[in-house]
Amino acid sequence: MSVFDDPGLFGRLWADTYDGPGNPDPAPAVDFLAPLADGGPVLELAVGTGRVALPLAARGLTVEGVEASPEMVAHLRAKPGGADLPVTIGDMADVPVTGPYRLVFLVFNTLFNLVSEERQAACFRNVARVLAPGGAFVIETFVPDPADFDRDEQVQVREVTEDSATIRLHRYDRAAQTFVRQTVTFDASGVHLKPFAMRYAWPEQVDELAERAGLRLAERYADWDRSPFDADSNSHISVYRRR
């Protein structure tokens, strides 16, 4: 199945290394989200291995998750508190739960893992369906930089050892605002592929998705520390409210 058609592919390929070194510290996100929960309940879309959901639950909030990958959920279950966190296996664009929730969130650029505008729009519509009146939908994404499109189309050497070599390649479709990334490892056992795809969007395009779903932008920051968002920001934390 194509990387554009299989919402669980990322988890099957990356679950075993998802909590490895180099991942963002979840603590700033937890500190930001906890007050917005307003006592809960809370829903994390693409809950993954529970890096954010479990610390939120440890603060006494009722937290649930949606995740397309059973492999990711298996890692969540193995963590302290993971066996008690309800997770629905399904496509986050469908938001296959009933709610209502005081807070829904989608972090670490995961909105862009929905690789078409239609699926991203469906996600916003379905989040609006399960939000309590006045509830918040929080997303974290990068701000696309067109200069990256040229830089990233070059071959990147990721790792070279005596036993293996790993390279990364990108292919961009600028009209569709998508890219396919392939991480290729060569070792004694053969060639190993880990494909990945995204459909990126600029903040104003994300705002349009929200508006069409009946959500309004209430707050926007450059990071979890609430630094002001401006033209030089390379990421944004956006808080949308149900009208």
Side-chain angles (χ1 to χ4, degrees), residues 21 52 93 116 125 186 212:
V52 177
S116 72
R125 286 196 308 271
F186 306 88
R212 283 156 40 191

Side-chain angles (χ1 to χ4, degrees), residues 72-84:
M72 286 283 197
V73 177
H75 285 275
L76 180 153
R77 295 286 182 233
K79 295 180 178 180
D84 300 321

Side-chain angles (χ1 to χ4, degrees), residues 18-57:
Y18 190 67
D19 288 330
N23 288 304
D25 178 5
V30 173
D31 289 341
F32 182 100
L33 293 165
L36 291 175
D38 193 26
V42 177
L43 176 69
E44 180 176 8
L45 299 178
V47 69
T49 61
R51 290 192 311 210
V52 177
L54 290 174
L56 271 178

Side-chain angles (χ1 to χ4, degrees), residues 198-220:
M198 275 189 166
R199 191 263 174 182
Y200 54 88
W202 279 266
E204 57 270 22
Q205 294 177 314
V206 178
D207 293 346
E208 290 175 5
L209 294 174
E211 286 285 340
R212 283 156 40 191
L215 303 174
R216 60 177 178 83
L217 178 66
E219 306 169 55
R220 173 165 287 150

Side-chain angles (χ1 to χ4, degrees), residues 136-192:
F137 179 34
V138 179
I139 67 162
E140 175 196 18
T141 74
F142 65 83
V143 177
D145 179 356
D148 288 338
F149 304 166
D150 295 323
R151 287 194 294 263
D152 284 348
E153 286 193 328
Q154 308 303 313
V155 176
Q156 301 173 345
V157 177
R158 304 295 292 183
E159 184 179 45
V160 177
T161 71
E162 293 181 355
D163 302 313
S164 68
T166 300
I167 62 173
R168 180 168 288 177
L169 308 96
H170 288 76
R171 186 193 72 212
Y172 281 87
D173 182 334
R174 291 163 176 76
Q177 296 180 200
T178 61
F179 68 79
V180 175
R181 185 182 76 198
Q182 185 64 266
T183 302
V184 187
T185 298
F186 306 88
D187 61 23
S189 64
V191 179
H192 311 278

Side-chain angles (χ1 to χ4, degrees), residues 67-129:
E67 173 56 51
S69 165
E71 293 83 359
M72 286 283 197
V73 177
H75 285 275
L76 180 153
R77 295 286 182 233
K79 295 180 178 180
D84 300 321
L85 198 148
V87 178
T88 299
I89 302 296
D91 189 335
M92 64 180 172
D94 297 329
V95 192
V97 289
T98 56
Y101 300 95
R102 295 298 306 169
L103 171 67
V104 179
F105 65 94
L106 183 55
V107 298
F108 303 141
N109 304 313
T110 314
L111 174 67
F112 295 166
N113 289 7
L114 298 169
V115 290
S116 72
E117 181 180 358
E118 292 76 17
R119 294 306 285 160
Q120 291 175 4
C123 182
F124 272 87
R125 286 196 308 271
N126 287 314
V127 166
R129 172 179 54 81

